[in-house]
Amino acid sequence: MSDALLHDALAGLTAIPKTLPGKYLWDETGSDLFDQICHSADYYPTAQETALLPRAAAEVARTVEPGVTVVEFGSGASRKIRTLLDALPEPAAYVAIDISGAYLEAAIRRLAPDYPGIAMVPVCADYSKPVALPVQAGPGGILGFYPGTSIGNFDPTEAGLFLERARATLGPSLFLVGADGTTDPERLHRAYGAADGLMAAFHRNILIRLNRECGADFDCDNFRHEIRLLSDPFRVEAHLVATQPGTYRLGGQTIEVAASESIRTDTSHKYTAEAFQALARAAGWQPRALWQAEGGSFNLHLLQAEA
Ligand SMILES: C[S@@+](CC[C@H](N)C(=O)[O-])C[C@H]1O[C@@H](n2cnc3c(N)ncnc32)[C@H](O)[C@@H]1O
């Protein structure tokens, strides 16, 4: 991972404007901080999606045959999957795909004892590239699961490509995907700017990671976390903004950061239900059902792969 991290970080930090790919936020510390964020009352997406899941799980359970293999993209702490595994008729296997390897293994070690009849298959992989399943589909077929509104971290073109890759990975399947539709600025500022003060630590951790894994010398205290709401397409961007000019070393190169210059560390695109369904259709998925929180501020979509 460090070679790719160094390569991508150098490309992003020598570009104008400066960026770091959001997928590198996710080491063990980043995953742990995010799990704490999910427990913050400010971070509404977790509460909204968690409230919708039991109804969705009951409906999916009526649709699939016994022995389904459930494949989760970006499984993190593997908490939401419990609602599905509890509802589905005798699931055969749970394939958990995540880029944060050590955290993934620990999450599966915690989950496995509660589901002794289900094969647990952790897959440490980057789903921004093609991922092959290491197991055959169970007798009940395949159910994909992509919660956490992570689809929003791709721009719309990349999100479409992700949905196409997921179609190839999952084959004939159903796919349950959570997509945030919130546009209320106050709510977004609380969730992405504050979340009990944890968001700043979550984003600064990417610099700590570059220092530890790539021998960089960023002074994290010289950066403050800021979020920006932008339109066309509507999105929330997270930035680390330099509070003073700095000269840093990374991979034998010099990175100059001017005072007030920012490094974009993540983006979260928001989708109306209709916009997401259009994206899914274009990628070969038919919308089958939709569960909505507060008139569309969060949407949980059930998609079916087109034959
Ligand atoms: C927003 S969290 C969602 C976690 C959990 N599914 C939930 O809903 O609470 C995103 C998860 O996706 C993983 N992730 C992010 N980018 C990834 C990538 N390119 N490939 C694989 N996993 C990724 C992160 O490690 C993290 O666990």
Side-chain angles (χ1 to χ4, degrees):
M1 176 61 77
S2 290
D3 284 354
L5 171 62
L6 177 60
H7 173 272
D8 293 352
L10 277 173
L13 293 176
T14 52
I16 301 173
K18 289 183 169 44
T19 60
L20 285 169
K23 65 184 179 184
Y24 295 120
L25 293 164
W26 303 98
D27 63 355
E28 220 174 340
T29 306
S31 298
D32 189 49
L33 281 165
F34 181 75
D35 193 42
Q36 293 178 51
I37 287 167
C38 289
H39 289 90
S40 155
D42 290 333
Y43 193 72
Y44 64 87
T46 302
Q48 290 196 329
E49 189 172 47
T50 302
L52 295 174
L53 261 176
R55 272 190 292 145
E59 168 91 18
V60 174
R62 280 192 289 275
T63 312
V64 299
E65 300 294 324
V68 70
T69 290
V70 187
V71 179
E72 181 171 0
F73 293 87
S75 49
S78 281
R79 291 188 197 282
K80 293 172 187 161
I81 194 64
R82 288 175 181 268
T83 306
L84 277 182
L85 296 182
D86 289 343
L88 295 172
E90 299 166 39
Y94 169 49
V95 181
I97 302 170
D98 206 289
I99 201 167
S100 189
Y103 196 82
L104 165 68
E105 295 290 339
I108 295 302
R109 275 198 302 276
R110 282 193 302 273
L111 186 72
D114 295 338
Y115 297 94
I118 302 177
M120 295 282 157
V121 188
V123 177
C124 181
D126 176 356
Y127 61 51
S128 63
K129 304 187 170 106
V131 179
L133 290 185
V135 291
Q136 301 287 323
I142 290 191
L143 169 67
F145 185 40
Y146 191 32
T149 193
S150 303
I151 187 91
N153 298 135
F154 292 116
D155 70 30
T157 305
E158 291 167 345
L161 293 172
F162 168 81
L163 289 168
E164 285 177 15
R165 281 194 304 277
R167 172 91 180 70
T169 300
L170 300 174
S173 55
L174 291 170
F175 195 16
L176 191 58
V177 184
D180 188 17
T182 299
T183 53
D184 171 17
E186 200 190 311
R187 183 176 248 192
L188 291 169
H189 271 283
R190 271 204 314 274
Y192 289 89
D196 295 330
L198 292 161
M199 275 295 182
F202 177 65
H203 288 276
R204 278 205 195 102
N205 179 53
I206 201 166
L207 298 182
I208 296 171
R209 187 173 180 194
L210 286 173
N211 289 350
R212 186 184 62 242
E213 292 187 31
C214 301
D217 61 356
F218 289 102
D219 184 342
C220 301
D221 292 339
N222 291 349
F223 294 87
R224 66 180 171 77
H225 170 242
E226 178 181 296
I227 70 153
R228 299 175 185 171
L229 269 49
L230 298 156
S231 25
D232 298 326
F234 186 78
R235 63 201 187 277
V236 181
E237 288 188 355
H239 291 256
L240 292 173
V241 181
T243 53
Q244 52 184 282
T247 302
Y248 305 102
R249 298 292 297 164
L250 172 65
Q253 292 202 35
T254 300
I255 308 291
E256 299 282 358
V257 185
S260 305
E261 190 176 4
S262 86
I263 304 170
R264 193 186 69 224
T265 48
D266 210 8
T267 307
S268 185
H269 290 80
K270 306 301 173 190
Y271 290 96
T272 62
E274 296 72 24
F276 180 80
Q277 286 176 342
L279 197 69
R281 275 196 196 91
W285 294 97
Q286 268 310 315
R288 262 195 72 164
L290 170 64
W291 296 269
Q292 296 191 288
E294 294 172 30
S297 72
F298 195 96
N299 299 303
L300 190 54
H301 297 265
L302 182 62
L303 310 174
Q304 180 160 30
E306 280 170 1

